[in-house]
Amino acid sequence: MDDFLKKFFPSVYERKQHAIEDNYCKYDNQYLQLFTSSLYLAALLSSFVASSVCEKFGRKPTIFVASLFFLAGAGLSSGAQYLWMLIIGRVLLGCGVGFGNEAVPLFLSEIAPVQHRGAVNILFQLFVTIGILIANLVNYGTSKSHPNGWRISLGLAGTPALVLFIGSLIIPETPSSLIEHGKEGKGLKALKQIRGVDDVDAEFKQIQSACEIAREVKNPFKNIMKRSSIPPLVIAVLMQVFQQFTGINAIMFYAPVLFQTVGFKNDASLLSSVITGLVNVISTLVSVYAVDKIGRRKLLLQACVQMFISQVAIGLILILKLSATGTLSKPLAIIVVCLVCLYVMSFAWSWGPLGWLIPSETFPLETRTAGFAFAVSSNMLFTFLIAQAFLSMLCHMKAGIFFFFAAWIIIMGLFVVKLLPETKNVPIDLMAENVWKKHPVWSKFMD
């Protein structure tokens, strides 16, 4: 928004006004990128603290702390008078992301029945996509509110933070966490409450057995480096790296910038972002339905093909038809938006939700919080790197940036074929026996 740029990034605003400025470079500003990426650097560092909180105090208190960070970050961001206040607000929001991303997927995986674990866990990603859509709608609605529309946008982040705060007081702790902390009576009661039946003896004993093993591990971060922990750790980290190198965050963060580059005006570019956000939500619903029926691997491989075609097509159109100071014709600009939607669609039913689901379900209980902390921190590290670098990459690589991400998608497909096991319908505490020990590559690492 121009009012936002005038106050905090005047040099970017001035550059934006010059029509002869290179399309690909008018937003290239390290401070503007830092505003976006500082959130993810904070999330990276806070995820390890969140892991300890999650381990010592449980999933429910960790979610409560996340809500407090979100509330504080939204308040400071919307009331910012100086750039440093804005950045600190983003850092607080980043801490909320670190704590929330650590606790919520674990919470969902531990309370979900095995036959619906994929669908339940993907609800996390579904509501992330709904949040993105609402954020785009809010930005579109406040873009004409001068001069404080941006304050309304950032301040309204306090609304979902408040919902999370209230929710964290209502939800139960997971049976696994209660039993792990020696509260077996409460754990049994919580399990019966969550399942809605009294006959939970088999599952209760399975959780007890996993907790007994977990209690023997005094330092989960040290244990995660053992040979038998390498398979789930490598899978967890690579899923996060590849999720970011699809290029999804580059496109979703900077969709208005991208659409302005190809010729849309400011309001139209924000509206185009709303369209991609809507596609994101609907496609994630597909994943909720399909993940426990089709399986994880097939969804990931199908998406690799669709994302590759979309990225290459966008790159070719921009190379052939978009000059540094011109715009695309309206039909071509609409085709680019449609290709972006095809790309977002495939990501939203595959690498988006499964990037969180698979790491949350593959670690044994004794290393689950530590292992998932590595997954969260890896995601935030590469989100930070992409967010910090994207506008500069767009400036220097121009349309070639889409071929850069397309090359990574080929590598991702090979990773799924060779190294990623199918985890559909496997109980979360039987992964070692039923998955890792039977895999042609990873079985060599198991005791």
Side-chain angles (χ1 to χ4, degrees):
M1 298 181 188
D2 285 347
D3 293 318
F4 178 78
L5 292 175
K6 285 178 192 175
K7 185 167 183 65
F8 296 108
F9 305 100
S11 63
V12 178
Y13 175 75
E14 288 298 322
R15 195 185 310 159
K16 182 183 172 184
Q17 304 311 303
H18 300 299
I20 59 170
E21 186 73 44
D22 189 326
N23 271 320
Y24 293 100
C25 297
K26 59 186 173 184
Y27 288 95
D28 182 22
N29 180 279
Q30 288 298 314
Y31 289 112
L32 182 59
Q33 292 176 121
L34 181 62
F35 165 69
T36 300
S37 61
S38 59
L39 186 151
Y40 298 94
L41 185 59
L44 160 66
L45 299 174
S46 65
S47 61
F48 288 102
V49 179
S51 172
S52 297
V53 173
C54 216
E55 182 78 28
K56 292 178 182 177
F57 301 103
R59 287 40 164 167
K60 179 177 175 174
T62 310
I63 296 171
F64 173 76
V65 173
S67 73
L68 297 181
F69 277 123
F70 281 128
L71 285 168
L76 189 57
S77 296
S78 62
Q81 295 298 327
Y82 306 100
L83 182 59
W84 65 264
M85 295 175 69
L86 198 67
I87 299 296
I88 291 175
R90 292 285 289 181
V91 167
L92 289 171
L93 289 169
C95 292
V97 170
F99 273 72
N101 279 13
E102 172 69 24
V104 174
L106 291 180
F107 178 90
L108 293 173
S109 286
E110 289 180 353
I111 67 167
V114 62
Q115 68 273 23
H116 301 304
R117 187 176 65 240
V120 169
N121 198 284
I122 287 172
L123 290 175
F124 171 70
Q125 181 70 14
L126 173 64
F127 280 92
V128 169
T129 62
I130 291 172
I132 292 169
L133 173 61
I134 292 172
N136 287 333
L137 288 168
V138 167
N139 285 341
Y140 183 67
T142 60
S143 61
K144 294 181 177 67
S145 299
H146 304 290
N148 291 318
W150 64 271
R151 291 193 188 277
I152 299 170
S153 286
L154 295 178
L156 283 174
T159 304
L162 184 61
V163 172
L164 186 66
F165 173 79
I166 295 169
S168 68
L169 302 176
I170 297 171
I171 58 173
E173 183 57 272
T174 70
S176 294
S177 182
L178 289 167
I179 295 167
E180 187 180 9
H181 289 92
K183 301 175 182 177
E184 298 202 352
K186 289 184 178 180
L188 180 59
K189 183 180 177 181
L191 188 59
K192 289 179 178 178
Q193 179 187 355
I194 291 166
R195 296 289 177 259
V197 296
D198 289 330
D199 185 17
V200 294
D201 289 347
E203 186 176 2
F204 182 69
K205 288 177 181 176
Q206 187 177 308
I207 296 172
Q208 275 184 313
S209 176
C211 288
E212 285 173 12
I213 296 170
R215 287 191 196 105
E216 295 174 7
V217 178
K218 303 303 180 187
N219 189 336
F221 280 102
K222 184 178 179 180
N223 206 61
I224 199 75
M225 297 303 168
K226 288 186 176 178
R227 184 176 174 83
S228 59
S229 296
I230 288 176
L233 182 62
V234 169
I235 293 294
V237 170
L238 286 181
M239 285 297 294
Q240 305 310 312
V241 174
F242 291 146
Q243 188 192 71
Q244 296 315 307
F245 275 94
T246 60
I248 184 63
N249 274 335
I251 284 179
M252 295 305 283
F253 289 165
Y254 300 111
V257 175
L258 175 64
F259 293 140
Q260 283 183 40
T261 297
V262 300
F264 286 87
K265 300 298 182 185
N266 190 50
D267 287 349
S269 68
L270 284 171
L271 183 59
S272 299
S273 300
V274 171
I275 294 169
T276 58
L278 189 59
V279 169
N280 205 5
V281 172
I282 294 169
S283 302
T284 306
L285 284 169
V286 173
S287 187
V288 172
Y289 172 80
V291 67
D292 290 315
K293 292 180 171 63
I294 297 175
R296 283 66 161 154
R297 281 166 51 90
K298 288 180 181 177
L299 280 176
L300 292 170
L301 288 171
Q302 183 280 330
C304 282
V305 175
Q306 190 169 326
M307 285 191 292
F308 178 81
I309 293 171
S310 303
Q311 294 267 30
V312 170
I314 293 170
L316 286 173
I317 290 172
L318 297 188
I319 282 177
L320 296 175
K321 298 295 183 179
L322 182 66
S323 64
T325 56
T327 59
L328 288 179
S329 64
K330 190 172 181 180
L332 278 177
I334 291 171
I335 289 172
V336 168
V337 172
C338 291
L339 287 168
V340 168
C341 287
L342 275 174
Y343 165 81
V344 170
M345 185 188 301
S346 56
F347 176 87
W349 64 50
S350 61
W351 289 88
L354 298 184
W356 294 112
L357 167 62
I358 291 170
S360 75
E361 66 183 3
T362 49
F363 286 100
L365 184 61
E366 63 266 25
T367 57
R368 192 169 298 156
T369 57
F372 201 69
F374 275 96
V376 173
S377 60
S378 299
N379 184 285
M380 295 306 143
L381 172 61
F382 283 91
T383 305
F384 166 77
L385 292 174
I386 294 294
Q388 185 65 23
F390 176 71
L391 292 179
S392 298
M393 289 169 70
L394 185 64
C395 179
H396 292 94
M397 297 174 70
K398 297 183 167 44
I401 193 168
F402 293 98
F403 297 106
F404 170 80
F405 289 126
W408 276 99
I409 289 169
I410 294 173
I411 297 170
M412 290 157 48
L414 294 172
F415 159 77
V416 174
V417 170
K418 295 293 185 182
L419 296 177
L420 189 70
E422 181 56 70
T423 53
K424 180 182 75 170
N425 291 334
V426 180
I428 194 168
D429 292 310
L430 295 178
M431 287 288 170
E433 294 296 325
N434 294 2
V435 173
W436 303 119
K437 289 185 179 179
K438 295 180 180 180
H439 192 272
V441 175
W442 299 124
S443 59
K444 299 167 186 174
F445 292 84
M446 304 308 292
D447 297 329

